């Protein structure tokens, strides 16, 4: 592939972080006695952004105040988990980025997470400074599946031809956002298995980032 830019989603693509978040959320839900907070319930919010998640949870649990407490408690739970060294890079990240560096192909993060958290995770995993740009939830008005976050990442990187840009995603919302931005996307599934939609609307569905590197090499 003749590429001028690679755009990474972060959670579930760069980091094996969804498991960390679910553990942190589950602990908060149990402490606040919020019933039915299951992995299936959690999955629907992957890739959708924090505010849409909180708004839907407020409807489901009948209290925005409760959900805001849940979110604060969850975030308080995440940091000790990360500090304990449980946040890991996804398989193939180092191999893929080493190849991109070798080929002088820039790469950026476009994540629905907040910038302070993104920078914290990068620091804790010793990859600060690797990405040319970071676009976060702080930079956009509309969460995925809106295309805004990918469009901003693409613009920050100098607006290369979209057919020479590649997005790496793990979620349905992320794939839809890439489609809406009219930028080719590869899916590397994490917690959620691909549906018929992703199979029809991606360049490829691959098992890990090493396979993405191999695809790019072709």
């Amino acid at each position: 592939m003749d590429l001028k830019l690679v755009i990474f989603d972060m959670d579930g693509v760069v980091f094996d972080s969804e498991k960390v978040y679910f553990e942190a959320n589950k602990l908060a839900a149990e402490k606040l006695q919020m019933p039915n907070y299951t992995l299936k319930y959690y999955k629907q919010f992957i890739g959708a952004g924090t505010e849409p998640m909180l708004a839907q949870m407020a409807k489901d649990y009948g209290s925005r105040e409760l959900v805001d407490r849940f979110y604060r408690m969850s975030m308080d739970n995440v940091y000790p988990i990360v500090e304990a060294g449980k946040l890991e890079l996804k398989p193939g990240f180092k191999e893929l980025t080493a190849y991109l560096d070798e080929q002088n192909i820039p790469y950026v993060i476009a994540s629905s997470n907040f910038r302070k958290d993104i920078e914290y995770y990068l620091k804790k995993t010793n990859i600060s400074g690797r990405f040319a740009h970071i676009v976060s939830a702080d930079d956009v008005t509309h969460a995925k599946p809106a295309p805004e976050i990918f469009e901003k990442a693409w613009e920050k990187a100098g607006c290369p031809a979209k057919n020479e840009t590649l997005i790496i995603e793990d979620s349905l919302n992320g794939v839809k956002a890439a489609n809406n931005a009219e930028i080719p996307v590869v899916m590397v599934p994490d917690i959620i298995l691909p549906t018929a939609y992703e199979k029809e609307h991606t360049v490829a569905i691959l098992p890990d980032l090493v396979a993405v590197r191999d695809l790019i090499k072709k």
Side-chain angles (χ1 to χ4, degrees), residues 58-126:
K59 291 180 183 178
D60 295 340
Y61 285 97
S63 170
R64 180 62 191 237
E65 181 184 0
L66 173 64
V67 169
D68 285 342
R69 286 176 63 202
F70 161 84
Y71 179 69
R72 289 193 298 270
M73 194 175 291
S74 295
M75 292 309 299
D76 288 344
N77 291 338
V78 166
Y79 278 58
I81 295 171
V82 175
E83 290 289 338
K86 293 183 180 180
L87 181 66
E88 298 179 351
L89 292 169
K90 292 289 285 186
F93 174 79
K94 291 181 178 179
E95 292 86 346
L96 172 55
T97 53
Y99 177 75
L100 296 176
D101 290 337
E102 178 188 305
Q103 299 298 312
N104 295 313
I105 300 171
Y107 47 98
V108 303
I109 279 182
S111 170
S112 299
N113 218 316
F114 294 107
R115 189 180 186 96
K116 67 179 180 62
D117 297 319
I118 295 169
E119 291 179 344
Y120 170 71
Y121 301 148
L122 295 176
K123 181 179 179 181
K124 285 297 175 181
T125 52
N126 299 311

Side-chain angles (χ1 to χ4, degrees), residues 4 26 88 149:
K4 298 293 189 293
K26 184 71 171 172
E88 298 179 351
I149 196 164

Side-chain angles (χ1 to χ4, degrees), residues 21-216:
Y21 297 149
F22 177 66
E23 180 181 343
N25 289 3
K26 184 71 171 172
L27 288 169
E30 288 173 355
K31 190 164 186 179
L32 292 170
Q33 298 183 333
M34 298 168 66
N36 303 318
Y37 194 88
T38 62
L39 182 59
K40 181 179 179 181
Y41 183 78
Y42 171 82
K43 282 181 179 181
Q44 69 183 302
F45 301 120
I46 291 177
T50 301
E51 184 51 41
M53 176 190 77
L54 297 179
Q56 183 60 49
M57 287 185 67
K59 291 180 183 178
D60 295 340
Y61 285 97
S63 170
R64 180 62 191 237
E65 181 184 0
L66 173 64
V67 169
D68 285 342
R69 286 176 63 202
F70 161 84
Y71 179 69
R72 289 193 298 270
M73 194 175 291
S74 295
M75 292 309 299
D76 288 344
N77 291 338
V78 166
Y79 278 58
I81 295 171
V82 175
E83 290 289 338
K86 293 183 180 180
L87 181 66
E88 298 179 351
L89 292 169
K90 292 289 285 186
F93 174 79
K94 291 181 178 179
E95 292 86 346
L96 172 55
T97 53
Y99 177 75
L100 296 176
D101 290 337
E102 178 188 305
Q103 299 298 312
N104 295 313
I105 300 171
Y107 47 98
V108 303
I109 279 182
S111 170
S112 299
N113 218 316
F114 294 107
R115 189 180 186 96
K116 67 179 180 62
D117 297 319
I118 295 169
E119 291 179 344
Y120 170 71
Y121 301 148
L122 295 176
K123 181 179 179 181
K124 285 297 175 181
T125 52
N126 299 311
I127 58 171
S128 293
R130 296 291 300 275
F131 293 90
H133 301 285
I134 296 171
V135 180
S136 71
D138 304 279
D139 302 310
V140 299
T141 304
H142 304 290
K144 301 172 188 175
E148 184 180 6
I149 196 164
F150 289 137
E151 290 172 343
K152 289 205 169 183
W154 174 73
E155 289 166 4
K156 274 198 168 188
C159 303
K162 287 188 174 181
N163 64 359
E164 295 180 330
T165 300
L166 184 67
I167 291 170
I168 306 174
E169 262 290 353
D170 70 306
S171 72
L172 174 60
N173 280 327
V175 169
K176 286 183 174 180
N179 294 162
N180 290 334
E182 300 182 335
I183 297 173
V185 57
V186 165
M187 184 182 192
V188 180
D190 183 35
I191 290 178
I192 301 175
L193 295 177
T195 67
Y197 181 91
E198 290 98 311
K199 292 173 183 177
E200 293 176 13
H201 293 85
T202 56
V203 173
I205 296 175
L206 299 172
D208 55 37
L209 296 176
V210 171
V212 177
R213 179 201 63 184
D214 295 342
L215 176 69
I216 292 171

